Amino acid sequence: MRKVALHNLGCKVNAYETESMRRILEEAGYEIVPFEEQADVYVINTCSVTNMADRKSRQMIHRARKRNPGSVVVAAGCYVQTAEEHVREDGAADILIGNNKKHELADLLEHFFAEREKQKESMMPAQEERNASCVLVENIAEDRIYEESGVNRAGEHTRAFVKVQDGCNQFCSYCIIPYARGRVRSRNPEHTLREVEALAANGYREVVLTGIHLSSYGTDLNRQDTPAREEISLLALVQKVHEIKGIERIRLGSLEPKIVTEDFVRALSKLPKVCPHFHLSLQSGCDATLKRMNRKYTCEEYAKGCGLLRKYFTHPAITTDVIVGFPGETEDEFAVTRKFLKSIGFFEIHIFRYSRREGTPAAGMEHQIPEQVKAERSDALFTDLSRMNREFLDWYSGREVEVLMEEEISVEGKKYFLGHTGEYVKAAVHLPDGASRNLANKLVKGRVASVLTEDVLLLEFMEEE
């Protein structure tokens, strides 16, 4: 039995697809081993969101080659899709797979090994330089079919990511993803529901619907000229997932502000399983910067969406992404962004320093910001975030919450069981000395007594399901 090791780089969608390739290989008879071990095959699912991601992808490909020079190294995903020629010329990978062909991995490996055996039998001399001998990278911009890759998983965890959409049509000026992932493609809702039903049957209590541009789910399917076709939208999909027995929580991946209308939020609020945790992509709190970024909304529209979420949900956790040091961002523009972020009051902000990405319009823009300035602005936002986070958590003092428990932890020699609230706030209950209760995958209600650590609430245990 051949051994295969997989390594994922990048986003939750990539992680989902890596898990899908793992399942495909297991079904094909491969033994899965940790990436740090000797393997016959190494699969690196690459990322290309920044130049640094490209560099890390190359490093992992070379690390696999060095670990076992005689192994088969597979490079897949975004970096391969956007830089196929560079990966070919680099010569460290044997097989290259683009973003819409990962489901063919097992067949490609079988073909590769068959060709290698033929070479041995014919006594063909080994090549002096290694070049990718199996390449399956197509023009993804022309692909309009969603690549089905549902993942069958046993319920060893509480939360499962379910990919329902791929591709992006937004073409933000800093982003390479539309070139790496192609145009919007949505998953057939029936396939999604079957996967969620299987997850529920395997013990999962929570699902996270995710995609490259989740808010566009269904737009391409609705264009199909099919009479009497039922509505296909993200909201309609969530409503159907809500009906599946065994699933107690539905969490949404990153949303675009434009989707957060009153009708959308009101409808979500009527679904008790929907978690009050919303990641609304922002990138900048200054309209001038947003315009250069080619974002499709204003700060006023964004703030209105946040207001709607707070109108229909009690204390929702609103999180976001912000890029500091975008080309042309002046001190005044940064000050506007900082003021806007404070006015919203986020639970969490993913703060990124702008990274120049070759192949995007922003890379050629004038007035690139020095790294030192980016660092200073990033530090300033982290300071603001610390206060916002503390204020958000202070609200919970003395309140009752429900936590989906996940794992046992130890803090200063004491045992606790840790999980997340619907808002994705960490919370724990104390396990008395000698206690051996396994609360994993159980919903536990408790009253917030204090803070266990900086970001973990401590509950007075009340009841479990």
Side-chain angles (χ1 to χ4, degrees):
M1 179 183 290
R2 291 191 175 100
K3 296 181 179 180
V4 60
L6 300 94
H7 183 80
N8 182 70
L9 293 156
C11 64
K12 293 294 190 297
V13 171
N14 250 24
Y16 178 93
E17 293 171 350
T18 299
E19 187 62 29
S20 176
M21 289 189 287
R22 181 192 307 273
R23 174 185 59 82
I24 289 170
L25 292 171
E26 284 178 330
E27 292 179 353
Y30 288 85
E31 177 187 352
I32 309 299
V33 299
F35 195 79
E36 296 73 22
E37 294 186 7
Q38 285 276 313
D40 303 298
V41 179
Y42 291 93
V43 180
I44 299 92
N45 197 14
T46 63
C47 178
S48 191
V49 70
T50 64
N51 287 337
M52 179 61 71
D54 283 357
R55 189 177 304 120
K56 288 182 178 179
S57 296
R58 289 192 298 271
Q59 288 172 347
M60 293 309 301
I61 294 169
H62 280 270
R63 189 174 300 174
R65 171 61 59 215
K66 184 176 180 181
R67 187 160 290 143
N68 184 1
S71 65
V72 177
V73 176
V74 181
C78 291
Y79 175 52
V80 176
Q81 189 72 50
T82 58
E84 176 193 345
E85 290 303 317
H86 289 296
V87 184
R88 279 178 184 259
E89 293 171 4
D90 184 67
D94 300 291
I95 298 176
L96 310 186
I97 304 177
N99 262 328
N100 56 347
K101 294 296 180 181
K102 295 175 182 177
H103 64 288
E104 298 186 27
L105 174 57
D107 292 337
L108 288 172
L109 283 170
E110 182 178 349
H111 172 76
F112 182 90
F113 283 119
E115 289 299 311
R116 176 180 280 185
E117 288 302 316
K118 288 181 182 178
Q119 290 180 7
K120 288 181 179 178
E121 292 172 1
S122 62
M123 301 298 289
M124 293 178 62
Q127 294 179 331
E128 292 183 5
E129 294 186 5
R130 180 185 295 273
N131 291 301
S133 56
C134 188
V135 178
L136 193 53
V137 182
E138 298 180 351
N139 183 1
I140 202 166
E142 298 178 357
D143 196 350
R144 295 294 183 269
I145 305 299
Y146 178 90
E147 179 189 3
E148 185 59 48
S149 58
V151 181
N152 296 319
R153 288 159 284 194
E156 69 271 16
H157 300 295
T158 60
R159 183 179 305 107
F161 287 85
V162 178
K163 179 188 168 188
V164 302
Q165 182 275 335
D166 208 339
C168 181
N169 298 345
Q170 299 299 297
F171 290 94
C172 299
S173 63
Y174 54 82
C175 187
I176 199 71
I177 296 305
Y179 307 97
R181 286 281 178 175
R183 303 296 83 79
V184 166
R185 305 180 300 286
S186 299
R187 188 179 186 185
N188 184 312
E190 294 178 0
H191 296 168
T192 298
L193 296 176
R194 280 203 296 268
E195 181 176 353
V196 176
E197 288 169 352
L199 289 167
N202 284 334
Y204 283 89
R205 311 293 296 274
E206 179 179 315
V207 292
V208 184
L209 303 182
T210 189
I212 295 299
H213 193 257
L214 183 64
S215 298
S216 66
Y217 177 82
T219 56
D220 53 319
L221 296 177
N222 281 319
R223 286 199 299 266
Q224 294 179 6
D225 187 17
T226 304
R229 189 176 182 88
E230 64 178 318
E231 179 192 2
I232 300 176
S233 66
L234 180 59
L235 176 59
L237 180 66
V238 173
Q239 290 169 331
K240 288 183 177 296
V241 172
H242 194 272
E243 298 172 4
I244 297 175
K245 294 181 179 180
I247 297 300
E248 303 292 340
R249 287 182 174 179
I250 303 168
R251 206 175 292 277
L252 299 178
S254 180
L255 299 174
E256 284 290 310
K258 287 282 192 180
I259 199 175
V260 187
T261 64
E262 183 135 16
D263 288 344
F264 180 79
V265 179
R266 184 192 300 115
L268 285 184
S269 70
K270 295 178 180 178
L271 304 174
K273 294 180 182 180
V274 171
C275 292
H277 169 215
F278 302 97
H279 187 89
L280 292 188
S281 181
L282 177 60
Q283 309 306 350
S284 174
C286 173
D287 285 340
T289 309
L290 287 174
K291 187 174 182 179
R292 291 197 303 278
M293 289 178 167
N294 196 33
R295 301 293 286 176
K296 309 299 193 298
Y297 51 84
T298 65
C299 291
E300 182 180 355
E301 290 171 325
Y302 188 97
K304 182 180 179 180
C306 293
L308 288 170
L309 291 172
R310 289 184 169 130
K311 175 182 177 181
Y312 287 97
F313 290 89
T314 302
H315 198 60
I318 301 176
T319 64
T320 197
D321 305 307
V322 171
I323 298 172
V324 298
F326 189 76
E329 184 185 59
T330 65
E331 288 295 336
D332 286 344
E333 288 180 350
F334 175 68
V336 170
T337 287
R338 195 174 180 184
K339 182 179 180 180
F340 181 77
L341 297 178
K342 292 176 182 177
S343 72
I344 298 296
F346 292 96
F347 166 50
E348 186 177 74
I349 304 173
H350 300 151
I351 302 166
F352 301 94
R353 303 175 192 179
Y354 170 72
S355 175
R356 203 168 187 168
R357 184 62 179 83
E358 295 177 12
T360 63
M365 287 182 177
E366 297 180 347
H367 309 299
Q368 297 286 330
I369 307 300
E371 292 302 317
Q372 179 60 35
V373 175
K374 294 178 190 176
E376 292 170 358
R377 293 177 183 177
S378 176
D379 290 344
L381 291 192
F382 274 114
T383 299
D384 295 342
L385 174 60
S386 179
R387 186 179 65 256
M388 283 186 270
N389 183 262
R390 185 169 61 252
E391 291 174 353
F392 184 87
L393 294 180
D394 285 346
W395 179 89
Y396 287 94
S397 180
R399 297 179 187 269
E400 182 181 322
V401 296
E402 186 175 67
V403 180
L404 184 57
M405 290 297 176
E406 298 169 21
E407 61 179 339
E408 186 177 309
I409 63 171
S410 177
V411 178
E412 296 181 352
K414 294 182 179 180
K415 292 195 299 182
Y416 299 85
F417 230 94
L418 176 75
H420 286 84
T421 69
E423 298 84 2
Y424 210 64
V425 174
K426 294 178 183 178
V429 293
H430 178 237
L431 296 176
D433 292 342
S436 59
R437 297 176 67 184
N438 183 7
L439 298 177
N441 215 19
K442 294 183 182 296
L443 285 165
V444 171
K445 290 183 179 179
R447 191 173 303 281
V448 177
S450 61
V451 176
L452 178 61
T453 65
E454 184 177 341
D455 62 342
V456 179
L457 303 175
L458 179 62
L459 307 185
E460 291 177 347
F461 183 79
M462 292 177 64
E463 62 177 297
E464 63 182 273
E465 60 174 15

